[in-house]
Amino acid sequence: MNYDAIFTSHLDGLRAEGRYRVFADIRRTRGAFPAGMRHSADGVSPITVWCSNDYLGMGQNPSVVAAMHDALDTVGAGSGGTRNISGTTHYHVELEAEIADLHGKESALLFTSAYVANDATLSTLVKLLPGTIIYSDEKNHASMIEGIRHGGGQKRVFRHNDLDDLEAKLREAPIGSSKIIAFESVYSMDGDVAPIAAICDLAKKYGALTYLDEVHAVGMYGPRGGGIAEREGVMHRVDVINGTMAKGFGVMGGYIASTRNLCDAIRSFAAGFIFTTSLAPVIAAGALASIRYLKNHSDERVQHQMRAAKLKGMLRDAQIPIIENPSHIVPILVRNPVHCKIVTDILLNHHNIYVQPINYPTVPKGTERMRLTPTPLHSDAQMEKLVGVLAELWSACPMANGQMVKLAAA
């Protein structure tokens, strides 16, 4: 069998659809974010980053960088192994306590990423609660979908943010059955927000646990950065909160926060936790410093929302087709994978503006987009340049049925 030919055929299929992903070779410039440098065959050139999930620029925060330097100098590089063998350090213990406090929960448990946390936790919960039915929002992240699938239990997918559809499906369940409602707070591709309080009402009415992914909200919403649930005053009503240190907190790693017994059960039974090398101490130290900083500083959150609102207004004025939403996410619809790649190539190659195209399977086919993530550190001048270039591209390209129909390659 010619294995290489099979791989080539699959890759050629992606290229033909315009969905083949090309990674730009970049490095950020410490102290100058969102400025960075791009490495290419033509050499090294400056860029402005517009698609980072380091939403608040905390990866550049002096207190975070200093904490990581200190940890590296104090204990060295690696964690030493899995938490069960030799990889629990005092940094992990402190970080879990800080996360539990952030979310007002009894306990927290660290994972190497929020993807792993979702996959491991949801699959393990189904196995620990035989007969469980999981109710999953249709726009849930791939990690939640995989966790539900790996659990092997029953699932019911409800229409996105549709409380009537969710209740109808809950009502069909046998009386006394175990149930989990899994959903997100901020949906990262469209930027819309879940009705958390109303979902908690349904969970109470039908005896379900609530599992909330706050990955795109922690650090950025709420008085201390606890997320949308904290902002809405319903954090205490959510049974399990999943979060990350890789976005608003600017470092790496994921977690769950819940009751002491639930976290202990996941710690004791989840293969995705038991058999994985723990986060390096330097990473845990940086995340710890970031969470502590954002608990006590709101300027970054306020400025972040102002920058996002301003960029959306500028794009509206330029008649660029954005998806309206109440969050910090700024999606620009292109609706064609080939054109989406051409637009981002033009931005990068001719204007030193770095944005990655978002295509299927991240978003449904026909909804291809650019996803802009303005930070508190993006200047008015950088916004004006971005919007000006986009306006030129859109004015030069005929539109039909909401998508570009003519666009020359970069």
Side-chain angles (χ1 to χ4, degrees), residues 249 290 381:
F249 295 122
S290 185

Side-chain angles (χ1 to χ4, degrees), residues 285-315:
L288 181 62
S290 185
I291 292 172
R292 286 175 173 169
Y293 178 92
L294 288 173
K295 279 182 177 179
N296 295 292
H297 296 81
S298 60
D299 289 351
E300 286 80 2
R301 282 188 285 278
V302 172
Q303 183 70 5
H304 184 221
Q305 293 298 316
M306 291 173 61
R307 293 280 86 187
K310 178 162 187 172
L311 180 61
K312 287 179 181 179
M314 294 171 68
L315 291 167

